[in-house]
């Protein structure tokens, strides 16, 4: 057995070592992850991390390496975007090797290392923001299962810059999502408790508890976690305040609750 095979097997069974070894495996010339590492990491993530597991693993990351997203992963993300666009009539778009959708202020104060992002866009309807939040949540968690990191930028984005990358110029853009290989994996955000955001009429079934727990991991504007979730039998209602980002937050919240609770266990009450 050759040295490369031994290293490969060792890293495959020990993800901590794999992650720590990544920095030493970069080449000084182009800062690219070796092909064998990329394939191993992707295979491990795809086979072992589910969307539900990604909820706990995903954290906001603002600083990114120069490592390019491999073409096959770009293809998979684009396929996921196409599915969301078709199902919800949106115009979500992945932009790679470009940062024109990030505002100058964000680059100056927060991050100069964003090289790829997803445009959150669609035709302007009263349901648009909720759909963008719901589908955006799907994409950030899907990206996490592929070994990528994300940063949801709800305010400090460049609308004109992002619009240049869309074929339909009549859409409304309400945010972008930075995506790539993070310099870190981020840290957990400060969170409210389940009791602060939820109530159930009677003894809460496990699916409701699991849904609320997943909801507590959902990213929200300014980390306000403005959710109020109520359950009665198999009926569940959820609200997310009435602020500028409430529609986005509502969609994000619904997606996380559904993943945690299992859509087959309950029905949303129409508000």
């Amino acid at each position: 057995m050759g040295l490369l095979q031994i290293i490969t097997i060792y890293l495959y069974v020990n993800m901590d070592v794999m992650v720590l070894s990544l920095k030493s495996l970069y080449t000084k010339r182009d800062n690219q992850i070796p092909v064998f590492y990329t394939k191993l990491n992707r295979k491990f993530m795809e086979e072992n991390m589910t969307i539900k597991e990604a909820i706990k693993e995903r954290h906001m990351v603002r600083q990114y390496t120069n490592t390019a997203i491999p073409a096959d992963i770009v293809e998979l993300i684009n396929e996921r975007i196409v599915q969301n666009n078709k199902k919800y009539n949106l115009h979500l778009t992945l932009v790679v090797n470009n940062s024109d959708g990030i505002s100058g202020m964000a680059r100056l104060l927060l991050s100069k290392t964003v090289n790829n992002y997803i445009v959150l866009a669609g035709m302007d309807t009263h349901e648009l923001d909720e759909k963008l939040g719901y589908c955006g949540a799907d994409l950030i968690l899907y990206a996490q299962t592929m070994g990528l990191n994300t940063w949801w930028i709800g305010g400090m984005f460049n609308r004109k810059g992002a619009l240049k990358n869309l074929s339909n110029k009549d859409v409304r853009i309400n945010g972008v999502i930075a995506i790539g290989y993070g310099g870190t994996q981020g840290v957990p955000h400060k969170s409210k408790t389940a009791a602060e955001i939820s109530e159930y009429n009677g003894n809460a079934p496990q699916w409701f508890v699991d849904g609320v727990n997943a909801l507590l991991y959902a990213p929200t504007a300014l980390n306000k976690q403005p959710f109020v979730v109520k359950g009665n039998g198999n009926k569940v209602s959820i609200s997310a305040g009435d602020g500028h980002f409430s529609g986005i937050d509502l969609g994000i919240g619904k997606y996380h609750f559904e993943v945690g609770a299992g859509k087959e266990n309950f029905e949303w009450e129409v508000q």
Side-chain angles (χ1 to χ4, degrees):
M1 181 179 293
L3 178 60
L4 179 58
Q5 291 174 304
I6 294 174
I7 294 174
T8 298
I9 293 173
Y10 180 74
L11 295 179
Y12 189 69
V13 298
N14 192 330
M15 279 299 291
D16 290 334
V17 173
M18 179 184 290
V19 172
L20 291 174
S21 300
L22 178 57
K23 292 182 180 178
S24 64
L25 291 171
Y26 285 163
T27 65
K28 293 182 179 179
R29 179 179 61 82
D30 56 9
N31 201 36
Q32 294 295 303
I33 299 176
V35 173
F36 83 89
Y37 175 88
T38 303
K39 290 182 177 179
L40 268 178
N41 185 48
R42 183 157 66 255
K43 185 175 189 296
F44 184 93
M45 299 300 285
E46 289 176 348
E47 292 182 353
N48 291 272
M49 182 179 288
T50 64
I51 292 290
K52 192 171 186 177
E53 292 167 338
I55 285 178
K56 294 184 178 181
E57 296 297 325
R58 186 265 167 192
H59 308 296
M60 177 184 68
V61 173
R62 287 176 173 165
Q63 303 299 326
Y64 294 84
T65 69
N66 292 326
T67 304
I69 303 176
D72 55 343
I73 292 187
V74 169
E75 183 178 355
L76 289 171
I77 295 172
N78 276 324
E79 288 176 358
R80 190 82 167 199
I81 286 174
V82 168
Q83 293 170 7
N84 277 296
N85 283 342
K86 184 176 181 180
K87 185 173 183 179
Y88 296 99
N89 192 28
L90 297 174
H91 293 265
L92 308 172
T93 303
L94 173 65
V95 180
V96 297
N97 303 320
N98 194 325
S99 62
D100 57 2
I102 313 301
S103 73
M105 186 66 70
R107 290 198 296 268
L108 177 65
L109 298 179
L110 301 175
S111 177
K112 298 180 180 179
T113 58
V114 174
N115 299 308
N116 319 282
Y117 64 93
I118 297 170
V119 184
L120 301 174
M123 300 307 295
D124 196 2
T125 67
H126 71 283
E127 296 179 336
L128 176 61
D129 285 352
E130 182 179 332
K131 289 180 179 180
L132 293 179
Y134 189 92
C135 294
D138 177 69
L139 293 175
I140 63 174
L141 295 174
Y142 182 67
Q144 190 72 37
T145 70
M146 304 301 290
L148 296 169
N149 304 102
T150 52
W151 169 27
W152 196 303
I153 307 174
M156 300 176 71
F157 66 94
N158 186 331
R159 194 179 309 273
K160 291 183 179 179
L163 190 61
K164 293 177 183 178
N165 299 283
L166 304 183
S167 57
N168 189 328
K169 308 300 182 183
D170 296 324
V171 298
R172 180 166 69 85
I173 300 174
N174 197 4
V176 299
I177 298 171
I179 183 171
Y181 293 100
T184 71
Q185 292 301 306
V187 296
H189 61 70
K190 184 179 180 180
S191 178
K192 293 181 178 179
T193 66
E196 290 179 292
I197 69 167
S198 68
E199 61 180 74
Y200 190 87
N201 185 17
N203 294 324
Q206 189 60 47
W207 61 261
F208 185 83
V209 174
D210 292 341
V212 172
N213 286 337
L215 180 60
L216 290 170
Y217 287 95
T220 57
L222 303 177
N223 195 33
K224 288 186 175 181
Q225 295 181 290
F227 305 115
V228 176
V229 188
K230 298 180 180 180
N232 186 9
N234 73 331
K235 303 291 185 180
V236 177
S237 66
I238 183 173
S239 62
D242 56 1
H244 178 72
F245 296 104
S246 61
I248 292 283
D249 286 345
L250 180 61
I252 295 173
K254 280 188 172 182
Y255 187 91
H256 279 72
F257 187 92
E258 287 180 0
V259 171
K263 291 193 290 186
E264 69 279 5
N265 291 316
F266 76 98
E267 296 179 3
W268 289 116
E269 279 192 333
V270 178
Q271 296 291 299

